[in-house]
Amino acid sequence: METNDLIRRAEDLAARCERTSSVTTTAFLTPAERMELQNTPSLRSAAVVYSGGGTECERTCAFFLPFYLTAEELDPSEYISAVHFRSFFGEPGHRDYLGALLALGVRREWVGDIRIRGAEAWVFCLPSVVKTLAELDRAGRYTVRGEEIALADVPEEEVKTETVSFTVQSLRLDAAAAGLFRLSRAAAADLIRAGAVTLNYLPCEKVDAPVRPGDIISIRGHG
């Protein structure tokens, strides 16, 4: 979704939430789209909760909450569903499942994270398409069988991390990217200027952009 369309849609949802005193929600957002909304001044006064249906979800929906509802009281299972797949005679990958789902006419923003462990997969989705997803019988070259399950039955994401220690003279993007990805500072600067680096999921071509604790840096082709 184009940035301006995304922001206008979110502003409309926030206004409707306030007007009707009811929860309003977006479809699934990419991390970059979520960051756009979080950085939008007109939305900073709104009570917004982001959830993808489970822990450590990359794609999340934005929930605008009415005055009487707290973030702890929001139940994502009322707005997000999950389908469990089991494959036979093979292990389809993420691309296999996503391609098969899109071929059903399901739009990408209607589907959240796809978690795969061997012959099993779990797909978060909007309730409106859960029956369509559950009818999927092939993913890539493999036969699969799907069924709707409770969000609580989706296993937690397995997050692998590696600790990297390095010293920089100043917390700026070129220095941090060089240390994180074991590059020379000149090489990191070239990648930044080439548009290959994102800071908190958004493209950043400023080598001296400030970096803060908790920021997420990604370099295309490097991780």
Side-chain angles (χ1 to χ4, degrees), residues 183-198:
L183 303 169
S184 69
R185 191 159 175 174
D190 288 343
L191 288 167
I192 294 169
R193 295 190 187 96
V197 178
T198 62

Side-chain angles (χ1 to χ4, degrees), residues 97-155:
Y97 277 107
L98 182 58
L101 295 175
L102 296 181
L104 294 175
V106 176
R107 293 171 57 175
R108 183 63 183 95
E109 61 265 32
W110 298 345
V111 177
D113 283 12
I114 300 174
R115 296 181 176 176
I116 297 176
R117 292 185 186 176
E120 294 183 276
W122 296 263
V123 181
F124 295 101
C125 65
L126 299 183
S128 58
V129 297
V130 66
K131 290 184 179 180
T132 301
L133 266 62
E135 293 173 355
L136 183 71
D137 58 7
R138 290 194 69 81
R141 299 182 292 110
Y142 308 102
T143 299
V144 299
R145 181 177 300 164
E147 62 175 348
E148 182 180 6
I149 61 172
L151 288 186
D153 294 334
V154 178

Side-chain angles (χ1 to χ4, degrees), residues 61-205:
C61 298
F63 294 93
F64 295 89
L65 306 185
F67 68 93
Y68 59 83
L69 193 66
T70 66
E72 293 73 24
E73 294 170 330
L74 176 71
D75 183 2
S77 66
E78 296 181 12
Y79 308 93
I80 299 175
S81 299
V83 178
H84 171 241
F85 290 98
R86 184 178 297 276
S87 65
F88 301 90
F89 313 113
E91 299 180 357
H94 187 281
R95 182 176 297 180
D96 295 315
Y97 277 107
L98 182 58
L101 295 175
L102 296 181
L104 294 175
V106 176
R107 293 171 57 175
R108 183 63 183 95
E109 61 265 32
W110 298 345
V111 177
D113 283 12
I114 300 174
R115 296 181 176 176
I116 297 176
R117 292 185 186 176
E120 294 183 276
W122 296 263
V123 181
F124 295 101
C125 65
L126 299 183
S128 58
V129 297
V130 66
K131 290 184 179 180
T132 301
L133 266 62
E135 293 173 355
L136 183 71
D137 58 7
R138 290 194 69 81
R141 299 182 292 110
Y142 308 102
T143 299
V144 299
R145 181 177 300 164
E147 62 175 348
E148 182 180 6
I149 61 172
L151 288 186
D153 294 334
V154 178
E156 293 189 1
E157 181 71 303
E158 297 178 341
V159 180
K160 298 180 180 180
T161 61
E162 176 187 357
T163 300
V164 179
S165 298
F166 56 93
T167 301
V168 295
Q169 292 183 339
S170 61
L171 280 175
R172 43 186 277 167
L173 184 56
D174 58 348
L180 285 171
F181 295 95
R182 299 181 175 89
L183 303 169
S184 69
R185 191 159 175 174
D190 288 343
L191 288 167
I192 294 169
R193 295 190 187 96
V197 178
T198 62
L199 177 60
N200 293 323
Y201 304 109
L202 300 177
C204 184
E205 298 181 9

